[in-house]
Structures are given as structure tokens and as C-alpha cells.
Amino acid sequence: MKKNLFKILAKINKVILPSFTRKKLDLAKASKWQMAIIGWRYYVTTNALD
């Protein structure tokens, strides 16, 4: 159940949230909200893969 929820969240994230890797964002120069989005996407992705 939990894994399915994170898989759905990962698909939603892919559609809604921006991809900073395609924009070639330097993590050292990222703002706080960009780091928050990166952290959220990382959290959802790791839980979807478990």
C-alpha cells in the first residue's frame, strides 16, 4: 500500500515539478526552495523503489 502511494506520488512529481537536472542546475548555487524540491523528489523516489 505504502509503496503504491509513493509510486503515484513519483508520477505526479514527474509531471508537475521541474527537473533541475535537465536545466543543469548547479547544486552549490541552488536556492532553498530548489533544494527543498530536490529533497522531496529524492525522498519520494527512494521510497517508491524500496
Side-chain angles (χ1 to χ4, degrees):
M1 174 81 178
K2 182 179 174 184
K3 187 174 182 179
N4 289 333
L5 174 69
F6 279 107
K7 284 188 177 189
I8 292 168
L9 273 175
K11 289 180 184 182
I12 293 171
N13 285 347
K14 188 173 183 178
V15 173
I16 295 174
L17 296 178
S19 175
F20 295 121
T21 54
R22 281 190 231 134
K23 295 180 182 179
K24 296 186 171 115
L25 174 71
D26 185 14
L27 289 179
K29 296 179 182 177
S31 66
K32 289 186 180 187
W33 70 270
Q34 289 171 327
M35 292 299 285
I37 291 173
I38 292 168
W40 170 252
R41 289 184 72 151
Y42 173 77
Y43 174 73
V44 170
T45 302
T46 55
N47 283 308
L49 294 176
D50 285 341

PDB file of all heavy atoms in Angstrom, residues 28-45:
ATOM      1  N   ALA A  28      25.390  23.860  -5.797  1.00  0.00           N
ATOM      2  CA  ALA A  28      26.007  24.864  -4.928  1.00  0.00           C
ATOM      3  C   ALA A  28      25.321  26.222  -5.074  1.00  0.00           C
ATOM      4  O   ALA A  28      25.341  27.034  -4.149  1.00  0.00           O
ATOM      5  CB  ALA A  28      27.481  24.989  -5.243  1.00  0.00           C
ATOM      6  N   LYS A  29      24.703  26.462  -6.206  1.00  0.00           N
ATOM      7  CA  LYS A  29      24.050  27.744  -6.460  1.00  0.00           C
ATOM      8  C   LYS A  29      22.528  27.669  -6.338  1.00  0.00           C
ATOM      9  O   LYS A  29      21.841  28.640  -6.607  1.00  0.00           O
ATOM     10  CB  LYS A  29      24.411  28.252  -7.853  1.00  0.00           C
ATOM     11  CG  LYS A  29      25.898  28.543  -8.014  1.00  0.00           C
ATOM     12  CD  LYS A  29      26.197  29.002  -9.408  1.00  0.00           C
ATOM     13  CE  LYS A  29      27.690  29.242  -9.575  1.00  0.00           C
ATOM     14  NZ  LYS A  29      28.029  29.621 -10.930  1.00  0.00           N
ATOM     15  N   ALA A  30      22.000  26.522  -5.939  1.00  0.00           N
ATOM     16  CA  ALA A  30      20.550  26.344  -5.839  1.00  0.00           C
ATOM     17  C   ALA A  30      19.994  27.112  -4.644  1.00  0.00           C
ATOM     18  O   ALA A  30      20.621  27.195  -3.593  1.00  0.00           O
ATOM     19  CB  ALA A  30      20.220  24.866  -5.704  1.00  0.00           C
ATOM     20  N   SER A  31      18.804  27.657  -4.837  1.00  0.00           N
ATOM     21  CA  SER A  31      18.153  28.375  -3.736  1.00  0.00           C
ATOM     22  C   SER A  31      17.512  27.359  -2.781  1.00  0.00           C
ATOM     23  O   SER A  31      17.481  26.161  -3.050  1.00  0.00           O
ATOM     24  CB  SER A  31      17.096  29.332  -4.283  1.00  0.00           C
ATOM     25  OG  SER A  31      16.050  28.601  -4.885  1.00  0.00           O
ATOM     26  N   LYS A  32      16.979  27.870  -1.685  1.00  0.00           N
ATOM     27  CA  LYS A  32      16.402  26.982  -0.673  1.00  0.00           C
ATOM     28  C   LYS A  32      15.176  26.247  -1.193  1.00  0.00           C
ATOM     29  O   LYS A  32      14.991  25.068  -0.896  1.00  0.00           O
ATOM     30  CB  LYS A  32      16.055  27.765   0.587  1.00  0.00           C
ATOM     31  CG  LYS A  32      17.265  28.197   1.353  1.00  0.00           C
ATOM     32  CD  LYS A  32      16.900  28.839   2.658  1.00  0.00           C
ATOM     33  CE  LYS A  32      18.176  29.248   3.382  1.00  0.00           C
ATOM     34  NZ  LYS A  32      17.905  29.731   4.714  1.00  0.00           N
ATOM     35  N   TRP A  33      14.342  26.912  -1.978  1.00  0.00           N
ATOM     36  CA  TRP A  33      13.154  26.228  -2.479  1.00  0.00           C
ATOM     37  C   TRP A  33      13.534  25.173  -3.518  1.00  0.00           C
ATOM     38  O   TRP A  33      12.899  24.128  -3.599  1.00  0.00           O
ATOM     39  CB  TRP A  33      12.117  27.211  -3.020  1.00  0.00           C
ATOM     40  CG  TRP A  33      12.504  27.906  -4.292  1.00  0.00           C
ATOM     41  CD1 TRP A  33      13.167  29.069  -4.422  1.00  0.00           C
ATOM     42  CD2 TRP A  33      12.252  27.444  -5.620  1.00  0.00           C
ATOM     43  NE1 TRP A  33      13.354  29.374  -5.739  1.00  0.00           N
ATOM     44  CE2 TRP A  33      12.796  28.398  -6.504  1.00  0.00           C
ATOM     45  CE3 TRP A  33      11.620  26.322  -6.150  1.00  0.00           C
ATOM     46  CZ2 TRP A  33      12.729  28.253  -7.878  1.00  0.00           C
ATOM     47  CZ3 TRP A  33      11.552  26.193  -7.523  1.00  0.00           C
ATOM     48  CH2 TRP A  33      12.104  27.148  -8.382  1.00  0.00           C
ATOM     49  N   GLN A  34      14.589  25.421  -4.284  1.00  0.00           N
ATOM     50  CA  GLN A  34      15.058  24.418  -5.240  1.00  0.00           C
ATOM     51  C   GLN A  34      15.617  23.201  -4.512  1.00  0.00           C
ATOM     52  O   GLN A  34      15.368  22.064  -4.909  1.00  0.00           O
ATOM     53  CB  GLN A  34      16.111  25.012  -6.168  1.00  0.00           C
ATOM     54  CG  GLN A  34      15.556  26.004  -7.150  1.00  0.00           C
ATOM     55  CD  GLN A  34      16.624  26.746  -7.913  1.00  0.00           C
ATOM     56  OE1 GLN A  34      17.703  27.017  -7.393  1.00  0.00           O
ATOM     57  NE2 GLN A  34      16.325  27.101  -9.154  1.00  0.00           N
ATOM     58  N   MET A  35      16.356  23.442  -3.424  1.00  0.00           N
ATOM     59  CA  MET A  35      16.880  22.332  -2.625  1.00  0.00           C
ATOM     60  C   MET A  35      15.745  21.547  -1.970  1.00  0.00           C
ATOM     61  O   MET A  35      15.818  20.325  -1.845  1.00  0.00           O
ATOM     62  CB  MET A  35      17.855  22.849  -1.565  1.00  0.00           C
ATOM     63  CG  MET A  35      19.138  23.405  -2.143  1.00  0.00           C
ATOM     64  SD  MET A  35      20.091  22.190  -3.072  1.00  0.00           S
ATOM     65  CE  MET A  35      20.770  21.235  -1.740  1.00  0.00           C
ATOM     66  N   ALA A  36      14.682  22.241  -1.560  1.00  0.00           N
ATOM     67  CA  ALA A  36      13.528  21.567  -0.969  1.00  0.00           C
ATOM     68  C   ALA A  36      12.842  20.663  -1.988  1.00  0.00           C
ATOM     69  O   ALA A  36      12.465  19.529  -1.661  1.00  0.00           O
ATOM     70  CB  ALA A  36      12.548  22.593  -0.420  1.00  0.00           C
ATOM     71  N   ILE A  37      12.713  21.130  -3.222  1.00  0.00           N
ATOM     72  CA  ILE A  37      12.108  20.313  -4.279  1.00  0.00           C
ATOM     73  C   ILE A  37      12.981  19.108  -4.583  1.00  0.00           C
ATOM     74  O   ILE A  37      12.490  17.988  -4.743  1.00  0.00           O
ATOM     75  CB  ILE A  37      11.854  21.153  -5.543  1.00  0.00           C
ATOM     76  CG1 ILE A  37      10.749  22.167  -5.278  1.00  0.00           C
ATOM     77  CG2 ILE A  37      11.502  20.268  -6.735  1.00  0.00           C
ATOM     78  CD1 ILE A  37      10.524  23.149  -6.402  1.00  0.00           C
ATOM     79  N   ILE A  38      14.284  19.315  -4.652  1.00  0.00           N
ATOM     80  CA  ILE A  38      15.214  18.201  -4.911  1.00  0.00           C
ATOM     81  C   ILE A  38      15.121  17.172  -3.791  1.00  0.00           C
ATOM     82  O   ILE A  38      15.065  15.964  -4.042  1.00  0.00           O
ATOM     83  CB  ILE A  38      16.656  18.734  -5.069  1.00  0.00           C
ATOM     84  CG1 ILE A  38      16.777  19.544  -6.350  1.00  0.00           C
ATOM     85  CG2 ILE A  38      17.669  17.591  -5.061  1.00  0.00           C
ATOM     86  CD1 ILE A  38      18.047  20.350  -6.458  1.00  0.00           C
ATOM     87  N   GLY A  39      15.078  17.634  -2.550  1.00  0.00           N
ATOM     88  CA  GLY A  39      14.957  16.726  -1.408  1.00  0.00           C
ATOM     89  C   GLY A  39      13.653  15.958  -1.418  1.00  0.00           C
ATOM     90  O   GLY A  39      13.625  14.757  -1.129  1.00  0.00           O
ATOM     91  N   TRP A  40      12.562  16.640  -1.742  1.00  0.00           N
ATOM     92  CA  TRP A  40      11.251  15.977  -1.802  1.00  0.00           C
ATOM     93  C   TRP A  40      11.241  14.912  -2.888  1.00  0.00           C
ATOM     94  O   TRP A  40      10.773  13.799  -2.671  1.00  0.00           O
ATOM     95  CB  TRP A  40      10.144  17.002  -2.055  1.00  0.00           C
ATOM     96  CG  TRP A  40       8.825  16.373  -2.351  1.00  0.00           C
ATOM     97  CD1 TRP A  40       8.195  16.338  -3.552  1.00  0.00           C
ATOM     98  CD2 TRP A  40       7.984  15.646  -1.445  1.00  0.00           C
ATOM     99  NE1 TRP A  40       7.013  15.662  -3.446  1.00  0.00           N
ATOM    100  CE2 TRP A  40       6.858  15.228  -2.161  1.00  0.00           C
ATOM    101  CE3 TRP A  40       8.091  15.326  -0.090  1.00  0.00           C
ATOM    102  CZ2 TRP A  40       5.844  14.490  -1.566  1.00  0.00           C
ATOM    103  CZ3 TRP A  40       7.072  14.597   0.491  1.00  0.00           C
ATOM    104  CH2 TRP A  40       5.959  14.185  -0.237  1.00  0.00           C
ATOM    105  N   ARG A  41      11.759  15.232  -4.069  1.00  0.00           N
ATOM    106  CA  ARG A  41      11.784  14.258  -5.165  1.00  0.00           C
ATOM    107  C   ARG A  41      12.658  13.062  -4.812  1.00  0.00           C
ATOM    108  O   ARG A  41      12.330  11.923  -5.135  1.00  0.00           O
ATOM    109  CB  ARG A  41      12.269  14.920  -6.455  1.00  0.00           C
ATOM    110  CG  ARG A  41      11.240  15.887  -7.017  1.00  0.00           C
ATOM    111  CD  ARG A  41      11.678  16.451  -8.320  1.00  0.00           C
ATOM    112  NE  ARG A  41      11.588  15.415  -9.338  1.00  0.00           N
ATOM    113  CZ  ARG A  41      11.360  15.638 -10.616  1.00  0.00           C
ATOM    114  NH1 ARG A  41      11.192  16.861 -11.040  1.00  0.00           N
ATOM    115  NH2 ARG A  41      11.298  14.650 -11.468  1.00  0.00           N
ATOM    116  N   TYR A  42      13.774  13.317  -4.124  1.00  0.00           N
ATOM    117  CA  TYR A  42      14.662  12.233  -3.690  1.00  0.00           C
ATOM    118  C   TYR A  42      13.940  11.326  -2.690  1.00  0.00           C
ATOM    119  O   TYR A  42      13.999  10.100  -2.800  1.00  0.00           O
ATOM    120  CB  TYR A  42      15.934  12.812  -3.074  1.00  0.00           C
ATOM    121  CG  TYR A  42      16.829  11.766  -2.458  1.00  0.00           C
ATOM    122  CD1 TYR A  42      17.619  10.967  -3.263  1.00  0.00           C
ATOM    123  CD2 TYR A  42      16.865  11.567  -1.082  1.00  0.00           C
ATOM    124  CE1 TYR A  42      18.435   9.989  -2.706  1.00  0.00           C
ATOM    125  CE2 TYR A  42      17.664  10.599  -0.520  1.00  0.00           C
ATOM    126  CZ  TYR A  42      18.452   9.814  -1.336  1.00  0.00           C
ATOM    127  OH  TYR A  42      19.238   8.844  -0.785  1.00  0.00           O
ATOM    128  N   TYR A  43      13.250  11.912  -1.724  1.00  0.00           N
ATOM    129  CA  TYR A  43      12.520  11.151  -0.704  1.00  0.00           C
ATOM    130  C   TYR A  43      11.449  10.268  -1.342  1.00  0.00           C
ATOM    131  O   TYR A  43      11.342   9.077  -1.020  1.00  0.00           O
ATOM    132  CB  TYR A  43      11.887  12.123   0.298  1.00  0.00           C
ATOM    133  CG  TYR A  43      10.992  11.470   1.299  1.00  0.00           C
ATOM    134  CD1 TYR A  43      11.497  10.709   2.341  1.00  0.00           C
ATOM    135  CD2 TYR A  43       9.608  11.624   1.216  1.00  0.00           C
ATOM    136  CE1 TYR A  43      10.663  10.114   3.265  1.00  0.00           C
ATOM    137  CE2 TYR A  43       8.771  11.033   2.122  1.00  0.00           C
ATOM    138  CZ  TYR A  43       9.284  10.280   3.154  1.00  0.00           C
ATOM    139  OH  TYR A  43       8.452   9.685   4.044  1.00  0.00           O
ATOM    140  N   VAL A  44      10.685  10.834  -2.250  1.00  0.00           N
ATOM    141  CA  VAL A  44       9.606  10.071  -2.906  1.00  0.00           C
ATOM    142  C   VAL A  44      10.190   8.964  -3.771  1.00  0.00           C
ATOM    143  O   VAL A  44       9.716   7.834  -3.754  1.00  0.00           O
ATOM    144  CB  VAL A  44       8.700  11.018  -3.730  1.00  0.00           C
ATOM    145  CG1 VAL A  44       7.742  10.222  -4.591  1.00  0.00           C
ATOM    146  CG2 VAL A  44       7.940  11.947  -2.804  1.00  0.00           C
ATOM    147  N   THR A  45      11.245   9.271  -4.512  1.00  0.00           N
ATOM    148  CA  THR A  45      11.848   8.274  -5.401  1.00  0.00           C
ATOM    149  C   THR A  45      12.437   7.108  -4.620  1.00  0.00           C
ATOM    150  O   THR A  45      12.225   5.946  -4.995  1.00  0.00           O
ATOM    151  CB  THR A  45      12.935   8.925  -6.273  1.00  0.00           C
ATOM    152  OG1 THR A  45      12.350   9.978  -7.018  1.00  0.00           O
ATOM    153  CG2 THR A  45      13.554   7.915  -7.221  1.00  0.00           C
TER     154      THR A  45
END
